[in-house]
Amino acid sequence: MLEKCRIMYKGDMIAASFYLFVGVILLLFAFILYYYTMSAGYKFLSYGFLMFFLYSIGKGAVMYYIYSEKYKFFHNKTAMTSTIQKKEILYTEYRIAKKNINRRRYIWTLILSCTIAFLGIFSLQKSILMGTAIPIALISGIELTIGMLTEFRLREFLRILNKPIVQDH
């Protein structure tokens, strides 16, 4: 059981590393668009990428810290107690519920921002609408995808956690 907990939090650390990677890519795009383009739309797009760079780096760093602490906790344990298992079940159920709420938010944000970006093509404020909506759609899509993958792992982890442990220390 401890090995399953370690694997779960190691996977969460990998997801956090992906957020850090996305943040670096967004920063690279922001600088390229800002310094090598002339139109207002690309300038607004670079601002959006810069804001989401900060978001991705911040989220990735916080996630990495939290889940590395959990990983260290389980790495230092020699046996799983029923108390730890109950706490882990509650925490996993909380994370699954949070993923469900966030999934709906990200889907609606993705739909709305894609619609705004598309309608921005036909608008006089094309640069502002598209430059703002495209980064929001991009980060919402990334959040939705990573959230769903994490939710699948969490549901399987919860199924394993709900099995009774053989011994109690």
Side-chain angles (χ1 to χ4, degrees):
M1 183 69 69
L2 284 174
E3 189 60 32
K4 302 288 186 195
C5 293
R6 292 179 194 129
I7 291 169
M8 182 66 199
Y9 290 114
K10 187 72 167 175
D12 289 334
M13 290 165 52
I14 291 170
S17 299
F18 182 74
Y19 277 108
L20 295 171
F21 174 72
V22 166
V24 170
I25 297 297
L26 289 173
L27 180 65
L28 180 68
F29 284 164
F31 280 136
I32 289 171
L33 288 174
Y34 186 79
Y35 287 111
Y36 295 109
T37 59
M38 298 293 183
S39 77
Y42 288 122
K43 295 292 183 197
F44 284 113
L45 190 59
S46 72
Y47 300 149
F49 283 159
L50 184 64
M51 292 296 114
F52 285 117
F53 150 75
L54 296 172
Y55 170 79
S56 293
I57 292 294
K59 182 170 183 169
V62 169
M63 281 177 61
Y64 195 86
Y65 174 76
I66 289 170
Y67 297 127
S68 66
E69 290 297 314
K70 289 280 231 176
Y71 177 78
K72 288 176 194 171
F73 173 79
F74 284 108
H75 189 69
N76 294 330
K77 290 288 177 193
T78 55
M80 180 73 126
T81 65
S82 61
T83 306
I84 294 173
Q85 185 176 5
K86 287 175 187 172
K87 286 181 182 178
E88 202 58 33
I89 288 171
L90 289 174
Y91 183 62
T92 304
E93 287 172 343
Y94 161 75
R95 287 182 67 193
I96 291 171
K98 194 169 121 182
K99 295 286 177 200
N100 282 331
I101 293 167
N102 286 342
R103 182 176 354 113
R104 281 190 246 24
R105 288 180 185 158
Y106 292 135
I107 287 172
W108 283 108
T109 303
L110 188 61
I111 291 169
L112 184 64
S113 58
C114 286
T115 304
I116 290 170
F118 178 74
L119 294 175
I121 296 171
F122 309 108
S123 171
L124 296 175
Q125 288 79 26
K126 179 187 303 190
S127 59
I128 293 173
L129 291 175
M130 291 178 69
T132 305
I134 290 172
I136 293 171
L138 179 67
I139 204 72
S140 294
I142 291 169
E143 287 281 357
L144 178 66
T145 305
I146 293 174
M148 287 177 66
L149 291 172
T150 303
E151 185 181 347
F152 295 146
R153 289 185 313 113
L154 285 170
R155 287 190 187 282
E156 181 62 22
F157 182 56
L158 184 61
R159 187 187 65 77
I160 292 168
L161 281 174
N162 282 322
K163 292 180 181 176
I165 37 180
V166 179
Q167 57 192 0
D168 192 8
H169 293 276

